[in-house]
PDB file of all heavy atoms in Angstrom:
ATOM      1  N   ARG A 159     111.820  96.218 129.766  1.00 98.00           N
ATOM      2  CA  ARG A 159     111.211  94.881 129.429  1.00 98.00           C
ATOM      3  C   ARG A 159     111.617  94.514 128.038  1.00 98.00           C
ATOM      4  O   ARG A 159     111.546  95.374 127.099  1.00 98.00           O
ATOM      5  CB  ARG A 159     109.714  94.974 129.601  1.00 98.00           C
ATOM      6  CG  ARG A 159     108.932  93.746 129.369  1.00 98.00           C
ATOM      7  CD  ARG A 159     108.738  93.425 127.932  1.00 98.00           C
ATOM      8  NE  ARG A 159     107.445  93.955 127.345  1.00 98.00           N
ATOM      9  CZ  ARG A 159     107.325  94.182 126.065  1.00 98.00           C
ATOM     10  NH1 ARG A 159     108.281  94.075 125.209  1.00 98.00           N
ATOM     11  NH2 ARG A 159     106.221  94.680 125.681  1.00 98.00           N
ATOM     12  N   ILE A 160     112.031  93.308 127.893  1.00 98.00           N
ATOM     13  CA  ILE A 160     112.535  92.775 126.584  1.00 98.00           C
ATOM     14  C   ILE A 160     111.551  91.713 126.085  1.00 98.00           C
ATOM     15  O   ILE A 160     111.179  90.839 126.821  1.00 98.00           O
ATOM     16  CB  ILE A 160     113.912  92.239 126.745  1.00 98.00           C
ATOM     17  CG1 ILE A 160     114.938  93.239 127.253  1.00 98.00           C
ATOM     18  CG2 ILE A 160     114.415  91.635 125.395  1.00 98.00           C
ATOM     19  CD1 ILE A 160     115.293  94.388 126.300  1.00 98.00           C
ATOM     20  N   LYS A 161     111.217  91.803 124.741  1.00 98.00           N
ATOM     21  CA  LYS A 161     110.534  90.704 124.121  1.00 98.00           C
ATOM     22  C   LYS A 161     111.469  90.194 122.996  1.00 98.00           C
ATOM     23  O   LYS A 161     111.987  91.063 122.243  1.00 98.00           O
ATOM     24  CB  LYS A 161     109.160  91.175 123.557  1.00 98.00           C
ATOM     25  CG  LYS A 161     108.591  90.408 122.464  1.00 98.00           C
ATOM     26  CD  LYS A 161     107.140  90.840 122.195  1.00 98.00           C
ATOM     27  CE  LYS A 161     106.757  90.884 120.716  1.00 98.00           C
ATOM     28  NZ  LYS A 161     105.424  91.396 120.419  1.00 98.00           N
ATOM     29  N   ILE A 162     111.568  88.892 122.868  1.00 98.00           N
ATOM     30  CA  ILE A 162     112.406  88.365 121.765  1.00 98.00           C
ATOM     31  C   ILE A 162     111.466  87.532 120.870  1.00 98.00           C
ATOM     32  O   ILE A 162     110.517  86.941 121.349  1.00 98.00           O
ATOM     33  CB  ILE A 162     113.594  87.538 122.183  1.00 98.00           C
ATOM     34  CG1 ILE A 162     113.201  86.284 122.961  1.00 98.00           C
ATOM     35  CG2 ILE A 162     114.576  88.386 123.003  1.00 98.00           C
ATOM     36  CD1 ILE A 162     114.311  85.271 123.163  1.00 98.00           C
ATOM     37  N   PRO A 184     112.576  91.545 133.132  1.00 98.00           N
ATOM     38  CA  PRO A 184     111.273  91.106 132.606  1.00 98.00           C
ATOM     39  C   PRO A 184     111.463  90.753 131.098  1.00 98.00           C
ATOM     40  O   PRO A 184     111.847  91.570 130.342  1.00 98.00           O
ATOM     41  CB  PRO A 184     110.376  92.313 132.810  1.00 98.00           C
ATOM     42  CG  PRO A 184     111.052  93.130 133.864  1.00 98.00           C
ATOM     43  CD  PRO A 184     112.551  92.880 133.686  1.00 98.00           C
ATOM     44  N   LEU A 185     111.119  89.439 130.820  1.00 98.00           N
ATOM     45  CA  LEU A 185     111.415  88.916 129.533  1.00 98.00           C
ATOM     46  C   LEU A 185     110.248  88.086 129.000  1.00 98.00           C
ATOM     47  O   LEU A 185     109.561  87.378 129.755  1.00 98.00           O
ATOM     48  CB  LEU A 185     112.642  87.945 129.586  1.00 98.00           C
ATOM     49  CG  LEU A 185     113.148  87.251 128.350  1.00 98.00           C
ATOM     50  CD1 LEU A 185     113.649  88.220 127.314  1.00 98.00           C
ATOM     51  CD2 LEU A 185     114.279  86.223 128.756  1.00 98.00           C
ATOM     52  N   GLN A 186     109.926  88.276 127.680  1.00 98.00           N
ATOM     53  CA  GLN A 186     108.822  87.481 127.097  1.00 98.00           C
ATOM     54  C   GLN A 186     109.178  87.111 125.678  1.00 98.00           C
ATOM     55  O   GLN A 186     110.141  87.663 125.087  1.00 98.00           O
ATOM     56  CB  GLN A 186     107.506  88.326 127.119  1.00 98.00           C
ATOM     57  CG  GLN A 186     107.550  89.600 126.305  1.00 98.00           C
ATOM     58  CD  GLN A 186     106.394  90.515 126.710  1.00 98.00           C
ATOM     59  OE1 GLN A 186     106.272  90.846 127.931  1.00 98.00           O
ATOM     60  NE2 GLN A 186     105.646  90.964 125.706  1.00 98.00           N
ATOM     61  N   VAL A 187     108.489  86.079 125.113  1.00 98.00           N
ATOM     62  CA  VAL A 187     108.816  85.657 123.719  1.00 98.00           C
ATOM     63  C   VAL A 187     107.582  85.711 122.897  1.00 98.00           C
ATOM     64  O   VAL A 187     106.413  85.685 123.358  1.00 98.00           O
ATOM     65  CB  VAL A 187     109.339  84.216 123.708  1.00 98.00           C
ATOM     66  CG1 VAL A 187     110.604  84.118 124.533  1.00 98.00           C
ATOM     67  CG2 VAL A 187     108.285  83.193 124.217  1.00 98.00           C
ATOM     68  N   ASP A 188     107.782  85.936 121.546  1.00 98.00           N
ATOM     69  CA  ASP A 188     106.675  86.016 120.591  1.00 98.00           C
ATOM     70  C   ASP A 188     106.974  85.121 119.370  1.00 98.00           C
ATOM     71  O   ASP A 188     107.953  85.282 118.686  1.00 98.00           O
ATOM     72  CB  ASP A 188     106.487  87.437 120.092  1.00 98.00           C
ATOM     73  CG  ASP A 188     105.314  87.672 119.184  1.00 98.00           C
ATOM     74  OD1 ASP A 188     104.571  86.693 118.951  1.00 98.00           O
ATOM     75  OD2 ASP A 188     105.077  88.861 118.792  1.00 98.00           O
ATOM     76  N   LEU A 209     109.442  83.575 132.317  1.00 98.00           N
ATOM     77  CA  LEU A 209     108.998  84.565 131.328  1.00 98.00           C
ATOM     78  C   LEU A 209     107.701  85.171 131.753  1.00 98.00           C
ATOM     79  O   LEU A 209     106.860  84.573 132.402  1.00 98.00           O
ATOM     80  CB  LEU A 209     108.781  83.850 129.980  1.00 98.00           C
ATOM     81  CG  LEU A 209     109.986  83.085 129.398  1.00 98.00           C
ATOM     82  CD1 LEU A 209     109.643  82.401 128.071  1.00 98.00           C
ATOM     83  CD2 LEU A 209     111.177  84.057 129.215  1.00 98.00           C
ATOM     84  N   LEU A 210     107.487  86.448 131.344  1.00 98.00           N
ATOM     85  CA  LEU A 210     106.194  87.116 131.584  1.00 98.00           C
ATOM     86  C   LEU A 210     105.081  86.432 130.873  1.00 98.00           C
ATOM     87  O   LEU A 210     103.972  86.271 131.328  1.00 98.00           O
ATOM     88  CB  LEU A 210     106.263  88.586 131.109  1.00 98.00           C
ATOM     89  CG  LEU A 210     107.099  89.552 131.933  1.00 98.00           C
ATOM     90  CD1 LEU A 210     107.169  90.882 131.225  1.00 98.00           C
ATOM     91  CD2 LEU A 210     106.501  89.737 133.316  1.00 98.00           C
ATOM     92  N   LEU A 211     105.389  85.980 129.656  1.00 98.00           N
ATOM     93  CA  LEU A 211     104.366  85.369 128.781  1.00 98.00           C
ATOM     94  C   LEU A 211     104.945  84.767 127.563  1.00 98.00           C
ATOM     95  O   LEU A 211     106.074  85.072 127.153  1.00 98.00           O
ATOM     96  CB  LEU A 211     103.298  86.456 128.388  1.00 98.00           C
ATOM     97  CG  LEU A 211     103.825  87.707 127.678  1.00 98.00           C
ATOM     98  CD1 LEU A 211     103.843  87.526 126.172  1.00 98.00           C
ATOM     99  CD2 LEU A 211     102.981  88.901 128.046  1.00 98.00           C
ATOM    100  N   GLU A 213     103.828  84.622 123.645  1.00 98.00           N
ATOM    101  CA  GLU A 213     102.818  85.242 122.736  1.00 98.00           C
ATOM    102  C   GLU A 213     102.581  84.417 121.479  1.00 98.00           C
ATOM    103  O   GLU A 213     103.591  84.002 120.775  1.00 98.00           O
ATOM    104  CB  GLU A 213     103.381  86.669 122.390  1.00 98.00           C
ATOM    105  CG  GLU A 213     102.413  87.504 121.632  1.00 98.00           C
ATOM    106  CD  GLU A 213     103.043  88.919 121.329  1.00 98.00           C
ATOM    107  OE1 GLU A 213     103.942  89.350 122.050  1.00 98.00           O
ATOM    108  OE2 GLU A 213     102.553  89.633 120.429  1.00 98.00           O
ATOM    109  N   TRP A 287      98.161  94.483 127.345  1.00 98.00           N
ATOM    110  CA  TRP A 287      99.186  95.363 127.014  1.00 98.00           C
ATOM    111  C   TRP A 287      99.063  95.830 125.573  1.00 98.00           C
ATOM    112  O   TRP A 287      98.377  95.122 124.814  1.00 98.00           O
ATOM    113  CB  TRP A 287     100.568  94.800 127.363  1.00 98.00           C
ATOM    114  CG  TRP A 287     100.831  93.495 126.685  1.00 98.00           C
ATOM    115  CD1 TRP A 287     100.337  92.261 127.082  1.00 98.00           C
ATOM    116  CD2 TRP A 287     101.709  93.224 125.578  1.00 98.00           C
ATOM    117  NE1 TRP A 287     100.833  91.285 126.203  1.00 98.00           N
ATOM    118  CE2 TRP A 287     101.704  91.851 125.286  1.00 98.00           C
ATOM    119  CE3 TRP A 287     102.517  94.065 124.741  1.00 98.00           C
ATOM    120  CZ2 TRP A 287     102.419  91.265 124.291  1.00 98.00           C
ATOM    121  CZ3 TRP A 287     103.225  93.438 123.732  1.00 98.00           C
ATOM    122  CH2 TRP A 287     103.188  92.019 123.485  1.00 98.00           C
TER     123      TRP A 287
END
Side-chain angles (χ1 to χ4, degrees):
R159 184 281 268 155
I160 300 291
K161 159 168 140 182
I162 63 167
L185 179 65
Q186 63 196 55
V187 299
D188 186 359
L209 302 178
L210 287 172
L211 56 90
E213 186 177 342
W287 55 286

